[in-house]
Protein backbone atom coordinates (compact mmCIF):
# COMPACT_ATOMS: atom_id res chain seq x y z
CA UNK A 1 0.00 0.00 0.00
CA UNK A 2 1.22 3.46 -0.75
CA UNK A 3 2.25 5.41 2.32
CA UNK A 4 -0.36 7.96 3.29
CA UNK A 5 0.43 11.51 2.31
CA UNK A 6 -0.95 14.47 4.16
CA UNK A 7 -1.28 17.58 2.05
CA UNK A 8 -0.60 21.05 3.34
CA UNK A 9 -3.21 23.73 3.53
CA UNK A 10 -2.74 27.11 1.95
CA UNK A 11 -3.34 29.84 4.48
CA UNK A 12 -2.32 33.45 3.94
CA UNK A 13 -0.40 35.70 6.31
CA UNK A 14 -0.90 39.31 7.26
CA UNK A 15 2.81 39.88 6.58
CA UNK A 16 4.63 39.89 3.29
CA UNK A 17 7.45 37.48 2.67
CA UNK A 18 9.87 40.27 1.86
CA UNK A 19 11.63 39.80 5.19
CA UNK A 20 12.43 36.15 4.48
CA UNK A 21 13.45 34.31 1.30
CA UNK A 22 10.57 32.58 -0.55
CA UNK A 23 10.37 28.83 -0.32
CA UNK A 24 11.22 27.03 -3.54
CA UNK A 25 13.21 29.97 -4.90
CA UNK A 26 16.25 28.83 -6.84
CA UNK A 27 18.69 30.57 -4.56
CA UNK A 28 22.37 30.19 -5.26
CA UNK A 29 24.03 27.49 -3.21
CA UNK A 30 20.94 25.48 -2.33
CA UNK A 31 22.20 22.52 -0.37
CA UNK A 32 21.27 18.90 -0.43
CA UNK A 33 21.70 16.31 2.24
CA UNK A 34 24.68 14.00 1.80
CA UNK A 35 23.94 11.18 -0.58
CA UNK A 36 21.00 13.02 -2.17
CA UNK A 37 20.89 12.68 -5.93
CA UNK A 38 18.71 14.04 -8.70
CA UNK A 39 17.09 17.43 -9.00
CA UNK A 40 16.11 17.69 -5.36
CA UNK A 41 12.54 16.58 -5.92
CA UNK A 42 11.00 13.44 -4.48
CA UNK A 43 9.12 12.02 -7.42
CA UNK A 44 8.23 8.61 -8.85
CA UNK A 45 6.83 5.60 -7.04
CA UNK A 46 6.87 5.99 -3.24
CA UNK A 47 8.76 3.39 -1.23
CA UNK A 48 6.67 0.32 -0.55
CA UNK A 49 4.54 0.74 -3.68
CA UNK A 50 4.45 -1.59 -6.63
CA UNK A 51 3.09 -0.74 -10.05
CA UNK A 52 -0.46 -1.52 -8.92
CA UNK A 53 -0.55 1.20 -6.26
CA UNK A 54 -3.22 3.81 -6.75
CA UNK A 55 -2.24 7.46 -6.39
CA UNK A 56 -2.74 8.57 -2.81
CA UNK A 57 -6.23 9.85 -2.20
CA UNK A 58 -6.77 13.13 -0.33
CA UNK A 59 -7.02 11.26 2.93
CA UNK A 60 -6.93 14.11 5.40
CA UNK A 61 -8.20 17.16 3.61
CA UNK A 62 -6.86 20.26 5.28
CA UNK A 63 -4.73 18.36 7.76
CA UNK A 64 -1.26 19.80 8.19
CA UNK A 65 0.59 16.83 9.64
CA UNK A 66 3.55 15.21 7.96
CA UNK A 67 4.32 11.52 8.19
CA UNK A 68 7.98 10.86 8.90
CA UNK A 69 9.74 8.92 6.15
CA UNK A 70 11.72 7.08 8.84
CA UNK A 71 8.73 5.47 10.52
CA UNK A 72 8.09 2.77 7.92
CA UNK A 73 4.47 1.66 8.13
CA UNK A 74 2.43 4.53 9.45
CA UNK A 75 0.07 4.25 12.38
CA UNK A 76 -2.77 4.85 9.96
CA UNK A 77 -1.71 1.92 7.80
CA UNK A 78 -1.44 -0.23 10.91
CA UNK A 79 -5.00 0.41 12.06
CA UNK A 80 -6.38 0.03 8.53
CA UNK A 81 -4.61 -3.29 8.22
CA UNK A 82 -6.39 -4.50 11.35
CA UNK A 83 -9.66 -3.30 9.86
CA UNK A 84 -8.95 -5.22 6.67
CA UNK A 85 -8.91 -1.98 4.67
CA UNK A 86 -5.20 -1.44 4.15
CA UNK A 87 -5.33 -2.35 0.48
CA UNK A 88 -8.69 -0.80 -0.31
CA UNK A 89 -7.82 2.89 -0.47
CA UNK A 90 -9.66 3.41 -3.75
CA UNK A 91 -12.88 1.96 -2.34
CA UNK A 92 -12.47 3.49 1.11
CA UNK A 93 -11.37 6.87 -0.22
CA UNK A 94 -11.15 8.55 3.16
CA UNK A 95 -9.86 8.13 6.68
CA UNK A 96 -13.19 9.32 8.00
CA UNK A 97 -15.60 7.12 9.94
CA UNK A 98 -18.60 8.41 8.01
CA UNK A 99 -18.94 7.82 4.30
CA UNK A 100 -21.56 8.28 1.61
CA UNK A 101 -24.34 5.78 2.27
CA UNK A 102 -24.47 3.60 -0.83
CA UNK A 103 -28.10 2.47 -0.38
CA UNK A 104 -29.26 6.03 0.13
CA UNK A 105 -32.98 6.66 -0.42
CA UNK A 106 -33.98 10.19 0.42
CA UNK A 107 -37.68 9.31 0.47
CA UNK A 108 -37.19 6.46 2.94
CA UNK A 109 -35.07 8.68 5.20
CA UNK A 110 -37.67 11.45 5.16
CA UNK A 111 -40.41 8.96 6.03
CA UNK A 112 -38.35 7.50 8.87
CA UNK A 113 -37.55 10.91 10.35
CA UNK A 114 -41.18 11.96 10.04
CA UNK A 115 -42.30 8.86 11.96
CA UNK A 116 -39.58 9.46 14.56
CA UNK A 117 -40.83 13.00 15.20
CA UNK A 118 -44.62 12.55 14.96
CA UNK A 119 -45.01 9.13 16.61
CA UNK A 120 -46.32 8.55 20.14
CA UNK A 121 -42.84 9.27 21.45
CA UNK A 122 -39.78 10.82 19.88
CA UNK A 123 -37.66 8.01 18.42
CA UNK A 124 -34.20 9.37 19.19
CA UNK A 125 -32.49 6.18 18.07
CA UNK A 126 -34.00 6.44 14.59
CA UNK A 127 -33.00 10.10 14.30
CA UNK A 128 -29.43 9.37 15.31
CA UNK A 129 -29.25 6.31 13.06
CA UNK A 130 -30.24 8.28 9.98
CA UNK A 131 -28.19 11.42 10.56
CA UNK A 132 -24.96 9.69 11.65
CA UNK A 133 -24.99 7.23 8.75
CA UNK A 134 -25.34 9.76 5.94
CA UNK A 135 -22.73 12.13 4.55
CA UNK A 136 -23.19 15.86 5.04
CA UNK A 137 -24.26 16.18 1.40
CA UNK A 138 -26.86 13.46 1.87
CA UNK A 139 -28.13 15.12 5.04
CA UNK A 140 -28.66 18.33 3.08
CA UNK A 141 -30.67 16.41 0.48
CA UNK A 142 -32.81 14.90 3.25
CA UNK A 143 -33.51 18.37 4.69
CA UNK A 144 -34.54 19.68 1.27
CA UNK A 145 -36.83 16.71 0.59
CA UNK A 146 -38.39 17.00 4.06
CA UNK A 147 -39.19 20.65 3.38
CA UNK A 148 -40.71 19.84 -0.01
CA UNK A 149 -42.86 17.04 1.36
CA UNK A 150 -44.05 18.52 4.66
CA UNK A 151 -43.66 22.27 4.10
CA UNK A 152 -41.75 22.26 7.38
CA UNK A 153 -38.10 22.89 8.15
CA UNK A 154 -36.41 19.67 9.27
CA UNK A 155 -33.97 21.46 11.55
CA UNK A 156 -36.72 23.35 13.36
CA UNK A 157 -38.85 20.20 13.62
CA UNK A 158 -36.00 18.27 15.20
CA UNK A 159 -35.16 21.14 17.54
CA UNK A 160 -38.77 21.11 18.76
CA UNK A 161 -38.60 17.36 19.35
CA UNK A 162 -35.19 17.22 21.04
CA UNK A 163 -33.33 19.04 23.79
CA UNK A 164 -29.97 19.30 25.49
CA UNK A 165 -26.72 18.12 23.97
CA UNK A 166 -28.46 15.81 21.49
CA UNK A 167 -30.30 18.79 20.04
CA UNK A 168 -26.96 20.58 19.65
CA UNK A 169 -25.43 17.61 17.84
CA UNK A 170 -28.41 17.31 15.48
CA UNK A 171 -28.24 21.03 14.68
CA UNK A 172 -24.53 20.71 13.90
CA UNK A 173 -25.11 17.65 11.72
CA UNK A 174 -27.73 19.42 9.64
CA UNK A 175 -25.85 22.67 9.18
CA UNK A 176 -23.51 23.16 6.22
CA UNK A 177 -19.92 22.73 7.40
CA UNK A 178 -19.05 26.35 6.66
CA UNK A 179 -21.89 27.67 8.81
CA UNK A 180 -20.94 25.38 11.68
CA UNK A 181 -17.33 26.57 11.50
CA UNK A 182 -18.44 30.19 11.31
CA UNK A 183 -20.68 29.79 14.35
CA UNK A 184 -17.96 28.08 16.36
CA UNK A 185 -15.40 30.74 15.39
CA UNK A 186 -17.76 33.56 16.32
CA UNK A 187 -18.51 31.98 19.71
CA UNK A 188 -14.80 31.50 20.37
CA UNK A 189 -13.94 35.11 19.52
CA UNK A 190 -16.70 36.44 21.75
CA UNK A 191 -15.80 34.07 24.60
CA UNK A 192 -12.77 35.27 26.52
CA UNK A 193 -10.13 32.55 26.64
CA UNK A 194 -11.41 30.47 23.71
CA UNK A 195 -10.01 32.37 20.73
CA UNK A 196 -6.54 30.85 20.98
CA UNK A 197 -8.03 27.36 21.18
CA UNK A 198 -10.96 27.15 18.76
CA UNK A 199 -9.66 29.97 16.57
CA UNK A 200 -6.44 28.12 15.79
CA UNK A 201 -8.31 24.82 15.39
CA UNK A 202 -10.61 26.17 12.69
CA UNK A 203 -8.29 28.58 10.90
CA UNK A 204 -5.31 26.21 10.82
CA UNK A 205 -6.91 22.86 9.98
CA UNK A 206 -9.36 23.71 7.19
CA UNK A 207 -8.47 23.49 3.51
CA UNK A 208 -8.27 26.79 1.58
CA UNK A 209 -11.74 26.31 0.02
CA UNK A 210 -13.21 25.35 3.41
CA UNK A 211 -11.61 28.42 5.00
CA UNK A 212 -12.99 30.75 2.34
CA UNK A 213 -16.47 29.24 2.69
CA UNK A 214 -16.26 29.65 6.47
CA UNK A 215 -15.28 33.31 6.21
CA UNK A 216 -18.05 33.94 3.66
CA UNK A 217 -20.60 32.27 5.94
CA UNK A 218 -19.29 34.33 8.86
CA UNK A 219 -19.92 37.58 6.98
CA UNK A 220 -23.34 36.40 5.77
CA UNK A 221 -24.59 35.20 9.15
CA UNK A 222 -23.13 37.91 11.40
CA UNK A 223 -22.91 40.87 9.02
CA UNK A 224 -19.27 41.47 9.83
CA UNK A 225 -15.95 40.20 8.51
CA UNK A 226 -14.26 37.63 10.73
CA UNK A 227 -11.06 39.68 10.49
CA UNK A 228 -12.84 42.66 12.03
CA UNK A 229 -13.95 40.56 14.99
CA UNK A 230 -10.42 39.18 15.37
CA UNK A 231 -9.07 42.73 15.49
CA UNK A 232 -11.65 43.88 18.04
CA UNK A 233 -11.73 40.79 20.27
CA UNK A 234 -8.02 39.84 20.43
CA UNK A 235 -4.74 41.69 20.73
CA UNK A 236 -0.98 41.37 20.42
CA UNK A 237 0.63 38.25 19.04
CA UNK A 238 -2.59 36.23 19.19
CA UNK A 239 -4.36 38.81 17.02
CA UNK A 240 -1.49 38.82 14.51
CA UNK A 241 -1.43 35.02 14.41
CA UNK A 242 -5.17 34.64 13.82
CA UNK A 243 -5.20 37.38 11.18
CA UNK A 244 -2.31 35.71 9.37
CA UNK A 245 -4.11 32.35 9.37
CA UNK A 246 -7.36 33.94 8.21
CA UNK A 247 -5.61 35.63 5.28
CA UNK A 248 -4.97 32.21 3.80
CA UNK A 249 -1.53 32.53 2.16
CA UNK A 250 0.41 29.53 3.40
CA UNK A 251 2.82 28.35 0.74
CA UNK A 252 1.65 25.26 -1.11
CA UNK A 253 3.43 21.94 -0.86
CA UNK A 254 6.50 21.68 -3.07
CA UNK A 255 8.38 18.50 -3.86
CA UNK A 256 11.58 20.54 -3.87
CA UNK A 257 13.39 20.34 -0.54
CA UNK A 258 15.15 23.61 0.15
CA UNK A 259 17.69 22.90 2.86
CA UNK A 260 19.16 26.41 2.66
CA UNK A 261 15.78 27.96 3.40
CA UNK A 262 15.24 25.58 6.30
CA UNK A 263 18.59 26.65 7.77
CA UNK A 264 17.74 30.33 7.27
CA UNK A 265 14.38 29.86 9.03
CA UNK A 266 16.09 28.08 11.92
CA UNK A 267 18.56 30.92 12.31
CA UNK A 268 15.76 33.51 12.10
CA UNK A 269 13.83 31.76 14.90
CA UNK A 270 16.95 31.41 17.06
CA UNK A 271 17.64 35.13 16.75
CA UNK A 272 14.01 36.20 17.30
CA UNK A 273 14.25 36.24 21.07
CA UNK A 274 14.32 39.96 21.76
CA UNK A 275 11.44 42.46 21.94
CA UNK A 276 9.45 43.19 18.79
CA UNK A 277 10.52 39.94 17.12
CA UNK A 278 7.22 38.10 17.56
CA UNK A 279 6.36 38.82 13.94
CA UNK A 280 9.13 36.53 12.73
CA UNK A 281 7.56 33.59 14.59
CA UNK A 282 4.11 34.39 13.24
CA UNK A 283 5.45 34.86 9.72
CA UNK A 284 7.32 31.57 9.51
CA UNK A 285 4.71 29.42 11.26
CA UNK A 286 1.81 30.78 9.19
CA UNK A 287 3.54 31.09 5.79
CA UNK A 288 5.75 28.06 5.27
CA UNK A 289 4.24 24.78 4.18
CA UNK A 290 4.01 22.06 6.87
CA UNK A 291 6.49 19.69 5.22
CA UNK A 292 9.11 22.42 5.28
CA UNK A 293 8.24 23.38 8.85
CA UNK A 294 8.71 19.84 10.14
CA UNK A 295 12.25 19.95 8.72
CA UNK A 296 12.73 23.33 10.39
CA UNK A 297 11.51 21.91 13.73
CA UNK A 298 13.90 18.95 13.47
CA UNK A 299 16.84 21.13 12.47
CA UNK A 300 16.04 23.62 15.23
CA UNK A 301 16.22 20.83 17.81
CA UNK A 302 19.57 19.63 16.44
CA UNK A 303 20.98 23.17 16.57
CA UNK A 304 19.69 24.11 20.03
CA UNK A 305 19.42 20.78 21.85
CA UNK A 306 15.73 21.27 22.64
CA UNK A 307 12.42 21.32 20.81
CA UNK A 308 11.03 24.52 19.36
CA UNK A 309 8.08 24.25 21.75
CA UNK A 310 10.51 24.67 24.66
CA UNK A 311 11.51 28.07 23.29
CA UNK A 312 7.86 29.02 22.74
CA UNK A 313 7.11 28.31 26.41
CA UNK A 314 10.01 30.50 27.52
CA UNK A 315 9.59 33.22 24.90
CA UNK A 316 5.80 33.71 24.96
CA UNK A 317 3.14 33.83 27.65
CA UNK A 318 -0.61 33.60 28.02
CA UNK A 319 -2.89 33.24 25.01
CA UNK A 320 -0.04 33.80 22.52
CA UNK A 321 1.91 30.89 23.99
CA UNK A 322 -1.11 28.59 23.92
CA UNK A 323 -1.95 29.55 20.33
CA UNK A 324 1.61 29.00 19.07
CA UNK A 325 1.88 25.65 20.85
CA UNK A 326 -1.42 24.58 19.29
CA UNK A 327 -0.24 25.64 15.85
CA UNK A 328 3.03 23.75 16.26
CA UNK A 329 1.04 20.67 17.26
CA UNK A 330 -1.17 20.98 14.18
CA UNK A 331 1.91 21.25 11.98
CA UNK A 332 3.66 18.25 13.51
CA UNK A 333 0.71 15.85 13.52
CA UNK A 334 -2.85 17.02 12.98
CA UNK A 335 -4.43 13.72 14.02
CA UNK A 336 -2.48 13.71 17.30
CA UNK A 337 -3.46 17.36 17.87
CA UNK A 338 -7.14 16.41 17.69
CA UNK A 339 -6.59 13.28 19.79
CA UNK A 340 -5.10 15.48 22.53
CA UNK A 341 -8.05 17.87 22.32
CA UNK A 342 -10.57 15.04 22.59
CA UNK A 343 -8.73 13.56 25.57
CA UNK A 344 -8.68 16.94 27.30
CA UNK A 345 -12.42 17.40 26.64
CA UNK A 346 -13.11 14.01 28.22
CA UNK A 347 -10.93 14.64 31.27
CA UNK A 348 -12.91 17.61 32.54
CA UNK A 349 -15.28 17.11 35.47
CA UNK A 350 -18.14 17.59 33.04
CA UNK A 351 -17.13 16.55 29.50
CA UNK A 352 -16.75 19.47 27.11
CA UNK A 353 -19.63 18.45 24.88
CA UNK A 354 -19.16 21.40 22.54
CA UNK A 355 -15.57 20.40 21.78
CA UNK A 356 -16.50 16.71 21.41
CA UNK A 357 -19.34 17.57 19.04
CA UNK A 358 -17.31 20.02 16.95
CA UNK A 359 -14.31 17.73 16.49
CA UNK A 360 -16.16 14.45 15.92
CA UNK A 361 -18.50 16.02 13.36
CA UNK A 362 -15.90 18.11 11.53
CA UNK A 363 -13.42 15.21 11.25
CA UNK A 364 -15.92 12.37 10.72
CA UNK A 365 -15.59 12.56 6.93
CA UNK A 366 -11.86 13.28 6.75
CA UNK A 367 -9.49 11.72 9.27
CA UNK A 368 -11.28 10.45 12.37
CA UNK A 369 -9.77 6.98 11.89
CA UNK A 370 -6.31 8.53 12.17
CA UNK A 371 -7.39 10.46 15.25
CA UNK A 372 -8.72 7.29 16.84
CA UNK A 373 -5.43 5.53 16.16
CA UNK A 374 -3.36 8.35 17.69
CA UNK A 375 -5.70 8.46 20.70
CA UNK A 376 -5.27 4.74 21.39
CA UNK A 377 -1.49 4.90 20.86
CA UNK A 378 -0.93 7.83 23.22
CA UNK A 379 -3.45 7.16 25.98
CA UNK A 380 -3.63 3.35 25.92
CA UNK A 381 -7.42 3.37 25.71
CA UNK A 382 -9.65 3.69 22.70
CA UNK A 383 -11.61 6.83 21.96
CA UNK A 384 -14.79 4.74 21.76
CA UNK A 385 -14.31 3.32 25.26
CA UNK A 386 -13.39 6.75 26.60
CA UNK A 387 -16.62 8.19 25.22
CA UNK A 388 -18.61 5.30 26.67
CA UNK A 389 -17.16 5.93 30.13
CA UNK A 390 -17.39 9.72 30.20
CA UNK A 391 -20.45 10.72 28.18
CA UNK A 392 -23.94 10.43 29.62
CA UNK A 393 -27.44 11.15 28.38
CA UNK A 394 -29.09 11.07 24.96
CA UNK A 395 -26.08 12.49 23.12
CA UNK A 396 -23.96 9.47 24.06
CA UNK A 397 -25.48 7.37 21.27
CA UNK A 398 -24.81 10.07 18.66
CA UNK A 399 -21.16 10.64 19.66
CA UNK A 400 -20.48 6.90 19.71
CA UNK A 401 -22.09 6.57 16.29
CA UNK A 402 -19.76 9.24 14.90
CA UNK A 403 -16.75 7.57 16.48
CA UNK A 404 -18.14 4.39 14.91
CA UNK A 405 -16.20 1.50 16.47
CA UNK A 406 -13.89 0.18 19.15
CA UNK A 407 -10.13 -0.02 18.47
CA UNK A 408 -8.78 -3.25 19.94
Amino acid sequence: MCPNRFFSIGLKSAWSLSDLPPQGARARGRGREPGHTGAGAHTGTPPGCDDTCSPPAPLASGAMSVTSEKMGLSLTQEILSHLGLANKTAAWGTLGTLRTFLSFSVDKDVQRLLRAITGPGVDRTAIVDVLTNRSREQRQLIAQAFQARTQQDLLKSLQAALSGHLEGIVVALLQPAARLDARELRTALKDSGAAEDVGVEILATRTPPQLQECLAAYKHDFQVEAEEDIKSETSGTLRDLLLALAKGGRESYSEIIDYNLAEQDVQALKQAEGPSTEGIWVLILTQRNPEHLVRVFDQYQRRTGHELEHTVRNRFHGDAQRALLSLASVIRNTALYFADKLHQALQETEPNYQALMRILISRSETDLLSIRAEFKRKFGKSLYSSLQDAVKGDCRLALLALCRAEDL
Side-chain angles (χ1 to χ4, degrees):
M1 177 184 177
C2 295
N4 298 311
R5 174 175 294 175
F6 292 82
F7 294 94
S8 61
I9 78 175
L11 301 175
K12 288 183 181 172
S13 166
W15 285 271
S16 71
L17 281 174
S18 58
D19 296 331
L20 291 170
Q23 182 169 359
R26 299 186 176 275
R28 181 181 304 174
R30 171 183 292 156
R32 295 189 176 94
E33 289 181 341
H36 182 83
T37 60
H42 292 281
T43 59
T45 305
C49 284
D50 56 27
D51 293 338
T52 63
C53 280
S54 302
L59 299 177
S61 178
M64 294 172 58
S65 59
V66 179
T67 305
S68 171
E69 296 176 359
K70 302 177 182 179
M71 292 179 63
L73 287 176
S74 69
L75 189 61
T76 297
Q77 286 176 279
E78 182 180 347
I79 188 173
L80 287 181
S81 67
H82 290 300
L83 293 173
L85 296 165
N87 295 314
K88 299 180 181 179
T89 305
W92 184 257
T94 175
L95 288 176
T97 56
L98 194 158
R99 306 177 306 285
T100 299
F101 188 61
L102 298 181
S103 301
F104 178 56
S105 170
V106 67
D107 290 334
K108 289 182 179 179
D109 285 345
V110 168
Q111 292 171 11
R112 190 176 181 193
L113 288 174
L114 196 55
R115 289 195 300 269
I117 296 171
T118 60
V122 178
D123 189 345
R124 294 172 176 81
T125 301
I127 294 170
V128 169
D129 186 54
V130 171
L131 297 183
T132 60
N133 282 287
R134 307 295 184 268
S135 68
R136 188 175 291 277
E137 182 180 356
Q138 289 175 326
R139 294 195 294 269
Q140 294 300 306
L141 293 175
I142 292 170
Q144 294 168 14
F146 189 95
Q147 175 78 41
R149 176 171 175 172
T150 67
Q151 306 304 309
Q152 298 178 35
D153 183 87
L154 175 60
L155 179 57
K156 292 181 179 178
S157 298
L158 288 171
Q159 284 181 295
L162 302 171
S163 61
H165 297 304
L166 180 57
E167 178 189 349
I169 293 172
V170 167
V171 170
L173 285 167
L174 285 173
Q175 280 189 324
R179 295 194 68 180
L180 176 60
D181 281 346
R183 188 190 74 187
E184 292 291 301
L185 181 59
R186 170 82 168 190
T187 301
L189 291 174
K190 296 297 182 179
D191 179 11
S192 176
E196 69 271 19
D197 177 25
V198 181
V200 170
E201 176 190 322
I202 292 175
L203 297 177
T205 66
R206 302 312 191 242
T207 64
Q210 288 171 340
L211 179 61
Q212 293 307 311
E213 290 174 5
C214 167
L215 297 179
Y218 195 104
K219 182 177 182 180
H220 177 272
D221 289 353
F222 306 115
Q223 300 301 303
V224 63
E225 298 280 0
E227 292 184 6
E228 293 304 314
D229 274 347
I230 291 173
K231 291 176 182 177
S232 63
E233 301 295 336
T234 63
S235 61
T237 303
L238 175 61
R239 177 195 60 207
D240 296 340
L241 182 69
L242 295 179
L243 286 173
L245 291 171
K247 286 292 184 182
R250 187 180 290 280
E251 294 165 342
S252 60
Y253 171 74
S254 171
E255 292 185 348
I256 297 174
I257 299 177
D258 194 333
Y259 298 106
N260 279 352
L261 181 60
E263 178 62 27
Q264 291 170 23
D265 285 347
V266 169
Q267 293 302 323
L269 291 173
K270 286 176 61 180
Q271 296 168 12
E273 297 184 357
S276 303
T277 58
E278 295 87 353
I280 297 297
W281 287 81
V282 172
L283 176 67
I284 292 176
L285 294 182
T286 61
Q287 288 276 339
R288 304 303 195 208
N289 78 61
E291 291 81 3
H292 171 84
L293 285 172
V294 167
R295 287 190 289 273
V296 170
F297 289 2
D298 291 343
Q299 203 160 321
Y300 185 94
Q301 184 171 355
R302 288 195 296 269
R303 295 286 186 274
T304 64
H306 56 77
E307 291 186 340
L308 178 133
E309 288 86 343
H310 175 81
T311 302
V312 171
R313 292 186 180 93
N314 291 333
R315 171 73 176 77
F316 298 92
H317 305 281
D319 53 15
Q321 180 195 92
R322 292 189 292 273
L324 286 167
L325 289 173
S326 292
L327 183 55
S329 178
V330 171
I331 292 167
R332 284 189 184 275
N333 186 332
T334 302
L336 180 57
Y337 162 79
F338 279 115
D340 283 333
K341 293 199 70 173
L342 287 169
H343 185 260
Q344 181 180 356
L346 290 167
Q347 293 305 301
E348 298 180 17
T349 305
E350 173 77 5
N352 186 337
Y353 288 98
Q354 193 67 20
L356 294 173
M357 174 272 294
R358 182 182 64 251
I359 296 172
L360 290 175
I361 291 177
S362 67
R363 311 312 293 187
S364 63
E365 295 186 51
T366 54
D367 61 353
L368 190 49
L369 278 177
S370 295
I371 295 168
R372 276 171 37 185
E374 293 289 356
F375 191 101
K376 177 68 179 292
R377 179 189 64 81
K378 181 170 183 177
F379 303 111
K381 183 179 181 179
S382 73
L383 175 59
Y384 194 89
S385 292
S386 298
L387 288 167
Q388 279 185 315
D389 292 343
V391 176
K392 309 298 180 185
D394 291 339
C395 71
R396 184 170 182 259
L397 180 63
L399 294 178
L400 289 173
L402 289 168
C403 182
R404 192 61 74 198
E406 179 68 87
D407 296 310
L408 301 177

